[in-house]
Amino acid sequence: MTEMKHASCPACVGSLAALVTLAPRPYQEVGRDWLAPRRTGLLADQMRVGKTPQAILAAHKAGARRVLVLCPAIAVPQWRVELDRWGYTGEADIYSYQKALRLWRNGFFKGKTWDVFIPDECHYVRNPTAQRTRLVYGKGSLSWRAGATWSLSGTPAVRHAGELWPMLRAFGAVGMTYNDFLRRYCWFNADERIGGTKEKLIPELVEILDPVMLRRTRKEVAPELPELDFQYLNVEGQIGDLFSAFHHVHEMVPDADLLEWIEDNAEYEAEFRIMCALAKVPALAEEIENALLGKLLDRVVVFGHHVAPLETLAQVLSGLGHKTRVLNGSTTPKQRGEIQAEFKAGAFPVLCANITTAGTAIDLSSANHAYFLELSWLPADNLQAASRLISMTKAEPVSADIVTWPGSFDDRIIQVLMRRVRELAKLY
């Protein structure tokens, strides 16, 4: 790699000043030193440990003058802020995955090279047949145009081990085909759909990952901090005739096929899940009001998957005198920044947020408790969202209540999802 811009350059003064005022934690120095000399690597530290600063510091140490970052669209502004905060003095190209794919198709990247390529939240490129994955890891891809590729994700596989294959193949960690990898490490249900990861082969997978992955949990790097605590909040809703009809259909779906059934019947399933979530709104609103009035909580985040239940809850709480904001896919980047700042300042006590929208590049650590009105059917998304409440600088425990309706299909989904979470936790 070529040398970086000279430190005395006037254009660098502001960035270098930012670098001087920030001191990396010891474990971040370890991550920096692990990444810097590598041609390929996966930094898979648990969420909120600080992967972005480590990658920036590693680029400094490696002398990288040109860096390419691909990330989810909502994380683009945050990357710009972090590059400035940590004093990166080279050139940085930052694109969302979607925009990068459009530029690739138009030939924009032709002839361009970088010292370091950083696919952030690399679980966004886990499907080997998707064009986005080929853009990042395929033959002639962006990773071929960079001196080093450093992938970042606290959840590199969100459903099963097969999602690791594109990255592992690109890194030279495995030589087998995708289908052979799936048959080796994943189990299939009766319909020949991937059901999960073979637990007995997880130690073998860990051996494959070990040479190319560095992962530390919050507990490892800051043992003084409490772990994120998940509990269940049992509520009941009103059962109507239509709900009963839906429930009868779901009873015929075995647990092993449940998540795949949801994917195949997305429109039908969305209607039912919205119905379940709406039925839980009155009980959750009462729970939140009691917690706020009793000063058990001063701020709270409610996560959900669908817009309608979150907006309904916000209306109910606002009607009770508790100012509430909603964060979802239609929230603009400017509004997103305003909501984050106002919530941190205590301008309103309740934030109702879509799990995916609030799962990346946002700081909700001014709250210590969250409720999940619904769960995402991608297990890792739920953990990412809850981790937004965690900060490495606060000692207060962070907890989350999963609002469930015992005996309902909604409750079955929750139990299957939590089993998947525990399964993947054994892998990384």
Short mmCIF file of all heavy atoms in Angstrom, two decimals, residues 271-322:
data_model
loop_
_atom_site.label_atom_id
_atom_site.label_comp_id
_atom_site.label_asym_id
_atom_site.label_seq_id
_atom_site.Cartn_x
_atom_site.Cartn_y
_atom_site.Cartn_z
N GLU A 271 -50.63 -9.95 7.62
CA GLU A 271 -51.95 -9.58 8.12
C GLU A 271 -52.20 -10.16 9.50
O GLU A 271 -52.70 -9.49 10.40
CB GLU A 271 -53.02 -10.07 7.14
CG GLU A 271 -54.44 -9.66 7.53
CD GLU A 271 -55.47 -10.12 6.52
OE1 GLU A 271 -55.09 -10.69 5.47
OE2 GLU A 271 -56.67 -9.93 6.78
N PHE A 272 -51.80 -11.41 9.70
CA PHE A 272 -52.02 -12.06 10.98
C PHE A 272 -51.13 -11.47 12.07
O PHE A 272 -51.57 -11.21 13.19
CB PHE A 272 -51.77 -13.55 10.86
CG PHE A 272 -51.97 -14.30 12.14
CD1 PHE A 272 -53.25 -14.61 12.58
CD2 PHE A 272 -50.90 -14.67 12.94
CE1 PHE A 272 -53.45 -15.28 13.77
CE2 PHE A 272 -51.09 -15.34 14.13
CZ PHE A 272 -52.37 -15.65 14.55
N ARG A 273 -49.87 -11.23 11.74
CA ARG A 273 -48.94 -10.70 12.75
C ARG A 273 -49.32 -9.28 13.15
O ARG A 273 -49.16 -8.89 14.31
CB ARG A 273 -47.51 -10.76 12.22
CG ARG A 273 -46.99 -12.17 12.02
CD ARG A 273 -45.52 -12.19 11.71
NE ARG A 273 -44.73 -11.78 12.86
CZ ARG A 273 -43.45 -11.44 12.79
NH1 ARG A 273 -42.82 -11.47 11.62
NH2 ARG A 273 -42.78 -11.08 13.87
N ILE A 274 -49.79 -8.48 12.19
CA ILE A 274 -50.27 -7.13 12.53
C ILE A 274 -51.45 -7.23 13.48
O ILE A 274 -51.57 -6.47 14.45
CB ILE A 274 -50.64 -6.36 11.25
CG1 ILE A 274 -49.38 -6.02 10.45
CG2 ILE A 274 -51.41 -5.09 11.59
CD1 ILE A 274 -49.65 -5.45 9.08
N MET A 275 -52.33 -8.19 13.21
CA MET A 275 -53.49 -8.40 14.06
C MET A 275 -53.07 -8.76 15.49
O MET A 275 -53.59 -8.23 16.47
CB MET A 275 -54.36 -9.52 13.47
CG MET A 275 -55.75 -9.64 14.08
SD MET A 275 -56.61 -11.09 13.42
CE MET A 275 -56.41 -10.82 11.67
N CYS A 276 -52.08 -9.64 15.61
CA CYS A 276 -51.57 -10.03 16.93
C CYS A 276 -50.97 -8.83 17.66
O CYS A 276 -51.23 -8.60 18.84
CB CYS A 276 -50.50 -11.11 16.78
SG CYS A 276 -51.11 -12.77 16.47
N ALA A 277 -50.15 -8.05 16.94
CA ALA A 277 -49.48 -6.91 17.55
C ALA A 277 -50.48 -5.86 18.00
O ALA A 277 -50.36 -5.30 19.10
CB ALA A 277 -48.48 -6.31 16.57
N LEU A 278 -51.47 -5.59 17.18
CA LEU A 278 -52.50 -4.61 17.55
C LEU A 278 -53.26 -5.06 18.79
O LEU A 278 -53.64 -4.23 19.65
CB LEU A 278 -53.46 -4.39 16.38
CG LEU A 278 -52.92 -3.59 15.20
CD1 LEU A 278 -53.88 -3.65 14.02
CD2 LEU A 278 -52.65 -2.14 15.60
N ALA A 279 -53.49 -6.37 18.89
CA ALA A 279 -54.21 -6.89 20.05
C ALA A 279 -53.40 -6.72 21.34
O ALA A 279 -53.97 -6.66 22.44
CB ALA A 279 -54.55 -8.36 19.83
N LYS A 280 -52.07 -6.64 21.21
CA LYS A 280 -51.21 -6.49 22.39
C LYS A 280 -50.99 -5.03 22.79
O LYS A 280 -50.46 -4.75 23.87
CB LYS A 280 -49.85 -7.16 22.12
CG LYS A 280 -49.92 -8.66 21.99
CD LYS A 280 -48.53 -9.29 21.88
CE LYS A 280 -47.87 -9.01 20.56
NZ LYS A 280 -46.58 -9.73 20.40
N VAL A 281 -51.38 -4.09 21.91
CA VAL A 281 -51.12 -2.67 22.16
C VAL A 281 -51.72 -2.15 23.46
O VAL A 281 -51.03 -1.49 24.25
CB VAL A 281 -51.59 -1.82 20.95
CG1 VAL A 281 -51.72 -0.34 21.33
CG2 VAL A 281 -50.61 -1.97 19.80
N PRO A 282 -53.03 -2.41 23.76
CA PRO A 282 -53.59 -1.84 25.00
C PRO A 282 -52.84 -2.28 26.26
O PRO A 282 -52.58 -1.45 27.14
CB PRO A 282 -55.03 -2.38 25.00
CG PRO A 282 -55.34 -2.63 23.55
CD PRO A 282 -54.06 -3.11 22.96
N ALA A 283 -52.48 -3.56 26.34
CA ALA A 283 -51.78 -4.05 27.52
C ALA A 283 -50.39 -3.43 27.63
O ALA A 283 -49.93 -3.07 28.72
CB ALA A 283 -51.69 -5.57 27.49
N LEU A 284 -49.69 -3.29 26.50
CA LEU A 284 -48.36 -2.70 26.53
C LEU A 284 -48.43 -1.21 26.87
O LEU A 284 -47.59 -0.71 27.64
CB LEU A 284 -47.65 -2.89 25.19
CG LEU A 284 -46.24 -2.30 25.09
CD1 LEU A 284 -45.33 -2.83 26.20
CD2 LEU A 284 -45.63 -2.57 23.72
N ALA A 285 -49.42 -0.51 26.33
CA ALA A 285 -49.58 0.91 26.65
C ALA A 285 -49.79 1.09 28.15
O ALA A 285 -49.22 2.02 28.77
CB ALA A 285 -50.75 1.49 25.87
N GLU A 286 -50.59 0.24 28.75
CA GLU A 286 -50.81 0.31 30.20
C GLU A 286 -49.53 0.04 30.97
O GLU A 286 -49.22 0.72 31.95
CB GLU A 286 -51.89 -0.69 30.60
CG GLU A 286 -52.24 -0.65 32.08
CD GLU A 286 -53.32 -1.65 32.46
OE1 GLU A 286 -53.88 -2.31 31.55
OE2 GLU A 286 -53.60 -1.78 33.67
N GLU A 287 -48.76 -0.95 30.51
CA GLU A 287 -47.48 -1.28 31.15
C GLU A 287 -46.54 -0.08 31.10
O GLU A 287 -45.90 0.27 32.11
CB GLU A 287 -46.85 -2.47 30.43
CG GLU A 287 -45.42 -2.78 30.79
CD GLU A 287 -45.26 -3.50 32.11
OE1 GLU A 287 -46.27 -4.01 32.65
OE2 GLU A 287 -44.13 -3.57 32.61
N ILE A 288 -46.43 0.55 29.94
CA ILE A 288 -45.51 1.68 29.78
C ILE A 288 -45.97 2.88 30.61
O ILE A 288 -45.15 3.54 31.27
CB ILE A 288 -45.39 2.06 28.29
CG1 ILE A 288 -44.66 0.94 27.53
CG2 ILE A 288 -44.64 3.38 28.13
CD1 ILE A 288 -44.64 1.14 26.03
N GLU A 289 -47.28 3.15 30.62
CA GLU A 289 -47.77 4.28 31.40
C GLU A 289 -47.48 4.09 32.88
O GLU A 289 -47.03 5.01 33.57
CB GLU A 289 -49.27 4.49 31.20
CG GLU A 289 -49.75 5.70 32.00
CD GLU A 289 -51.21 6.03 31.81
OE1 GLU A 289 -52.02 5.09 31.72
OE2 GLU A 289 -51.52 7.22 31.78
N ASN A 290 -47.71 2.90 33.40
CA ASN A 290 -47.43 2.62 34.80
C ASN A 290 -45.94 2.80 35.11
O ASN A 290 -45.57 3.33 36.17
CB ASN A 290 -47.88 1.21 35.16
CG ASN A 290 -49.38 1.07 35.19
OD1 ASN A 290 -50.11 2.06 35.35
ND2 ASN A 290 -49.88 -0.15 35.02
N ALA A 291 -45.09 2.37 34.18
CA ALA A 291 -43.65 2.49 34.40
C ALA A 291 -43.20 3.95 34.39
O ALA A 291 -42.34 4.35 35.18
CB ALA A 291 -42.89 1.71 33.32
N LEU A 292 -43.80 4.76 33.51
CA LEU A 292 -43.43 6.17 33.44
C LEU A 292 -43.98 6.96 34.63
O LEU A 292 -43.26 7.75 35.25
CB LEU A 292 -43.93 6.78 32.13
CG LEU A 292 -43.27 6.27 30.84
CD1 LEU A 292 -43.96 6.87 29.62
CD2 LEU A 292 -41.78 6.59 30.82
N LEU A 293 -45.25 6.74 34.95
CA LEU A 293 -45.85 7.45 36.07
C LEU A 293 -45.22 7.06 37.40
O LEU A 293 -45.08 7.88 38.31
CB LEU A 293 -47.37 7.19 36.11
CG LEU A 293 -48.18 7.77 34.94
CD1 LEU A 293 -49.66 7.41 35.09
CD2 LEU A 293 -48.01 9.28 34.85
N GLY A 294 -44.85 5.78 37.53
CA GLY A 294 -44.21 5.32 38.75
C GLY A 294 -42.73 5.61 38.79
O GLY A 294 -42.04 5.20 39.74
N LYS A 295 -42.22 6.28 37.73
CA LYS A 295 -40.81 6.66 37.61
C LYS A 295 -39.88 5.44 37.66
O LYS A 295 -38.74 5.53 38.11
CB LYS A 295 -40.43 7.68 38.67
CG LYS A 295 -41.31 8.93 38.65
CD LYS A 295 -40.60 10.14 39.14
CE LYS A 295 -41.50 11.37 39.08
NZ LYS A 295 -41.73 11.81 37.69
N LEU A 296 -40.41 4.30 37.21
CA LEU A 296 -39.56 3.12 37.05
C LEU A 296 -38.68 3.28 35.81
O LEU A 296 -37.58 2.71 35.74
CB LEU A 296 -40.43 1.87 36.92
CG LEU A 296 -41.36 1.58 38.11
CD1 LEU A 296 -42.25 0.38 37.79
CD2 LEU A 296 -40.56 1.34 39.37
N LEU A 297 -39.19 4.03 34.84
CA LEU A 297 -38.44 4.33 33.63
C LEU A 297 -38.63 5.81 33.32
O LEU A 297 -39.70 6.38 33.58
CB LEU A 297 -38.95 3.50 32.44
CG LEU A 297 -38.88 1.97 32.55
CD1 LEU A 297 -39.62 1.34 31.38
CD2 LEU A 297 -37.43 1.50 32.57
N ASP A 298 -37.60 6.43 32.75
CA ASP A 298 -37.79 7.81 32.27
C ASP A 298 -37.80 7.87 30.75
O ASP A 298 -38.32 8.81 30.16
CB ASP A 298 -36.71 8.74 32.83
CG ASP A 298 -35.31 8.37 32.38
OD1 ASP A 298 -35.13 7.27 31.81
OD2 ASP A 298 -34.40 9.19 32.59
N ARG A 299 -37.21 6.85 30.11
CA ARG A 299 -37.24 6.74 28.66
C ARG A 299 -37.32 5.27 28.28
O ARG A 299 -36.76 4.41 28.97
CB ARG A 299 -35.98 7.36 28.04
CG ARG A 299 -36.18 8.76 27.53
CD ARG A 299 -34.85 9.44 27.28
NE ARG A 299 -34.22 9.83 28.54
CZ ARG A 299 -33.16 10.62 28.63
NH1 ARG A 299 -32.60 11.08 27.54
NH2 ARG A 299 -32.65 10.93 29.80
N VAL A 300 -38.00 4.99 27.18
CA VAL A 300 -38.18 3.61 26.77
C VAL A 300 -38.28 3.53 25.26
O VAL A 300 -38.77 4.46 24.60
CB VAL A 300 -39.45 3.00 27.43
CG1 VAL A 300 -40.70 3.72 26.95
CG2 VAL A 300 -39.56 1.51 27.15
N VAL A 301 -37.77 2.45 24.71
CA VAL A 301 -37.87 2.19 23.27
C VAL A 301 -38.77 0.98 23.06
O VAL A 301 -38.63 -0.03 23.76
CB VAL A 301 -36.48 1.91 22.65
CG1 VAL A 301 -36.62 1.67 21.13
CG2 VAL A 301 -35.53 3.06 22.92
N VAL A 302 -39.69 1.09 22.11
CA VAL A 302 -40.54 -0.03 21.73
C VAL A 302 -40.18 -0.42 20.30
O VAL A 302 -40.29 0.40 19.38
CB VAL A 302 -42.04 0.32 21.81
CG1 VAL A 302 -42.88 -0.89 21.40
CG2 VAL A 302 -42.41 0.77 23.22
N PHE A 303 -39.74 -1.65 20.12
CA PHE A 303 -39.39 -2.15 18.80
C PHE A 303 -40.54 -2.97 18.23
O PHE A 303 -41.25 -3.67 18.96
CB PHE A 303 -38.14 -3.02 18.85
CG PHE A 303 -36.88 -2.28 19.20
CD1 PHE A 303 -36.24 -2.51 20.42
CD2 PHE A 303 -36.33 -1.38 18.32
CE1 PHE A 303 -35.07 -1.84 20.74
CE2 PHE A 303 -35.15 -0.68 18.63
CZ PHE A 303 -34.53 -0.93 19.85
N GLY A 304 -40.70 -2.89 16.92
CA GLY A 304 -41.71 -3.69 16.25
C GLY A 304 -41.33 -3.89 14.79
O GLY A 304 -40.40 -3.26 14.28
N HIS A 305 -42.06 -4.75 14.13
CA HIS A 305 -41.75 -5.07 12.73
C HIS A 305 -42.63 -4.28 11.76
O HIS A 305 -42.16 -3.76 10.76
CB HIS A 305 -41.91 -6.57 12.49
CG HIS A 305 -41.59 -6.99 11.09
ND1 HIS A 305 -40.32 -6.90 10.56
CD2 HIS A 305 -42.36 -7.51 10.10
CE1 HIS A 305 -40.33 -7.34 9.32
NE2 HIS A 305 -41.56 -7.70 9.01
N HIS A 306 -43.93 -4.20 12.06
CA HIS A 306 -44.88 -3.54 11.17
C HIS A 306 -45.18 -2.11 11.65
O HIS A 306 -45.15 -1.83 12.85
CB HIS A 306 -46.17 -4.35 11.07
CG HIS A 306 -45.97 -5.70 10.44
ND1 HIS A 306 -45.82 -6.85 11.19
CD2 HIS A 306 -45.90 -6.08 9.14
CE1 HIS A 306 -45.65 -7.88 10.38
NE2 HIS A 306 -45.69 -7.44 9.13
N VAL A 307 -45.51 -1.25 10.69
CA VAL A 307 -45.72 0.16 10.99
C VAL A 307 -47.01 0.40 11.78
O VAL A 307 -47.01 1.14 12.78
CB VAL A 307 -45.75 0.99 9.68
CG1 VAL A 307 -46.11 2.44 9.98
CG2 VAL A 307 -44.40 0.92 8.98
N ALA A 308 -48.11 -0.23 11.36
CA ALA A 308 -49.42 0.07 11.96
C ALA A 308 -49.46 -0.13 13.48
O ALA A 308 -49.95 0.75 14.20
CB ALA A 308 -50.51 -0.76 11.28
N PRO A 309 -48.96 -1.24 14.02
CA PRO A 309 -49.00 -1.40 15.49
C PRO A 309 -48.17 -0.35 16.22
O PRO A 309 -48.58 0.13 17.28
CB PRO A 309 -48.45 -2.81 15.71
CG PRO A 309 -48.69 -3.53 14.42
CD PRO A 309 -48.50 -2.49 13.37
N LEU A 310 -47.02 0.01 15.66
CA LEU A 310 -46.18 1.03 16.31
C LEU A 310 -46.87 2.39 16.30
O LEU A 310 -46.85 3.11 17.31
CB LEU A 310 -44.83 1.12 15.59
CG LEU A 310 -43.88 -0.07 15.75
CD1 LEU A 310 -42.66 0.09 14.87
CD2 LEU A 310 -43.46 -0.25 17.20
N GLU A 311 -47.48 2.73 15.17
CA GLU A 311 -48.18 4.02 15.10
C GLU A 311 -49.40 4.03 16.03
O GLU A 311 -49.70 5.06 16.65
CB GLU A 311 -48.59 4.30 13.66
CG GLU A 311 -47.40 4.60 12.75
CD GLU A 311 -47.82 4.98 11.35
OE1 GLU A 311 -48.96 4.63 10.95
OE2 GLU A 311 -47.01 5.62 10.64
N THR A 312 -50.09 2.90 16.12
CA THR A 312 -51.25 2.81 17.02
C THR A 312 -50.82 2.98 18.47
O THR A 312 -51.45 3.71 19.25
CB THR A 312 -51.97 1.47 16.84
OG1 THR A 312 -52.41 1.36 15.49
CG2 THR A 312 -53.16 1.36 17.77
N LEU A 313 -49.73 2.32 18.85
CA LEU A 313 -49.22 2.46 20.21
C LEU A 313 -48.82 3.90 20.49
O LEU A 313 -49.10 4.44 21.58
CB LEU A 313 -48.01 1.53 20.41
CG LEU A 313 -47.33 1.61 21.77
CD1 LEU A 313 -48.27 1.17 22.89
CD2 LEU A 313 -46.06 0.75 21.78
N ALA A 314 -48.17 4.54 19.52
CA ALA A 314 -47.76 5.94 19.70
C ALA A 314 -48.98 6.84 19.92
O ALA A 314 -48.95 7.74 20.76
CB ALA A 314 -46.96 6.40 18.49
N GLN A 315 -50.05 6.59 19.17
CA GLN A 315 -51.27 7.38 19.32
C GLN A 315 -51.89 7.19 20.70
O GLN A 315 -52.33 8.14 21.34
CB GLN A 315 -52.26 7.01 18.23
CG GLN A 315 -51.83 7.43 16.83
CD GLN A 315 -52.71 6.84 15.74
OE1 GLN A 315 -53.68 6.15 16.03
NE2 GLN A 315 -52.35 7.10 14.49
N VAL A 316 -51.92 5.93 21.17
CA VAL A 316 -52.49 5.63 22.48
C VAL A 316 -51.69 6.33 23.58
O VAL A 316 -52.26 6.98 24.47
CB VAL A 316 -52.55 4.11 22.73
CG1 VAL A 316 -52.96 3.82 24.16
CG2 VAL A 316 -53.50 3.44 21.75
N LEU A 317 -50.36 6.21 23.52
CA LEU A 317 -49.52 6.82 24.55
C LEU A 317 -49.59 8.35 24.50
O LEU A 317 -49.61 9.01 25.54
CB LEU A 317 -48.08 6.35 24.38
CG LEU A 317 -47.82 4.88 24.75
CD1 LEU A 317 -46.44 4.45 24.32
CD2 LEU A 317 -48.00 4.67 26.25
N SER A 318 -49.63 8.90 23.29
CA SER A 318 -49.76 10.36 23.17
C SER A 318 -51.08 10.84 23.77
O SER A 318 -51.15 11.89 24.42
CB SER A 318 -49.66 10.77 21.71
OG SER A 318 -48.38 10.47 21.18
N GLY A 319 -52.14 10.04 23.57
CA GLY A 319 -53.43 10.36 24.14
C GLY A 319 -53.42 10.32 25.66
O GLY A 319 -54.24 10.99 26.31
N LEU A 320 -52.49 9.55 26.22
CA LEU A 320 -52.36 9.47 27.67
C LEU A 320 -51.42 10.54 28.22
O LEU A 320 -51.15 10.58 29.42
CB LEU A 320 -51.84 8.08 28.06
CG LEU A 320 -52.80 6.91 27.78
CD1 LEU A 320 -52.07 5.58 28.01
CD2 LEU A 320 -54.04 6.99 28.66
N GLY A 321 -50.90 11.38 27.33
CA GLY A 321 -50.04 12.48 27.76
C GLY A 321 -48.56 12.21 27.70
O GLY A 321 -47.77 12.98 28.23
N HIS A 322 -48.16 11.10 27.05
CA HIS A 322 -46.73 10.76 26.95
C HIS A 322 -46.26 10.99 25.51
O HIS A 322 -46.63 10.24 24.60
CB HIS A 322 -46.50 9.30 27.35
CG HIS A 322 -47.05 8.95 28.69
ND1 HIS A 322 -46.56 9.47 29.87
CD2 HIS A 322 -48.09 8.13 29.04
CE1 HIS A 322 -47.25 8.99 30.89
NE2 HIS A 322 -48.19 8.18 30.41
#
